[in-house]
Amino acid sequence: MLTSDIQLVAADVTSTPFSRLRRLFKLLDQPFLGPVKVQNREFNSWLADEANRHVRLLDRTLREAHGAAKTRDDAEVLRKAAVILFRSEPQDPYTLQLLLKIFNAEQDAESLQNYFLQRRRAVERGH
């Protein structure tokens, strides 16, 4: 039997949602299976199913943890995890609502735009 780090996070019911979110974010902030390239319909189907499962796990964990941020570092993890989720589900209205809550931007979409602008500039500078 093969297990993955993602399965361990999903099965963990003893740690806090925010602790699980931190671990999950570290795992999902990198390409799934890295440079693996297989030209096989069954493998590609499995890969798509796993990616969808990871997105659902991130969504669930993010929703459980979003009110538990206590520090700036916690808030940054929430924002980065929300961005990963939004990239996976940009058309989902529930994801957008969660993103706005996490960015405290229900009334002020400008703060959300500013965050993305700062992140883009940091990426352009190589940070």
Side-chain angles (χ1 to χ4, degrees), residues 16-98:
T16 67
F18 203 86
S19 175
R20 287 192 308 275
L21 180 64
R22 279 186 177 283
R23 292 183 9 234
L24 187 58
F25 167 72
K26 287 179 184 176
L27 294 170
L28 295 179
D29 194 30
Q30 54 191 325
F32 180 56
L33 292 182
V36 172
K37 303 255 190 273
V38 176
Q39 298 300 328
N40 177 290
R41 187 176 312 171
E42 289 82 18
F43 177 80
N44 290 332
S45 176
W46 173 83
L47 191 62
D49 289 345
E50 285 301 298
N52 287 333
R53 195 170 62 80
H54 295 172
V55 168
R56 288 191 311 272
L57 178 60
L58 177 61
D59 181 53
R60 185 175 62 246
T61 307
L62 191 56
R63 288 179 191 283
E64 291 171 356
H66 89 271
K70 294 181 174 74
T71 67
R72 284 185 180 196
D73 185 49
D74 290 350
E76 186 66 13
V77 169
L78 280 175
R79 287 191 292 270
K80 287 179 178 179
V83 169
I84 290 172
L85 181 63
F86 182 69
R87 281 189 208 138
S88 301
E89 299 183 323
Q91 303 301 321
D92 182 33
Y94 299 109
T95 298
L96 183 57
Q97 287 175 351
L98 180 61

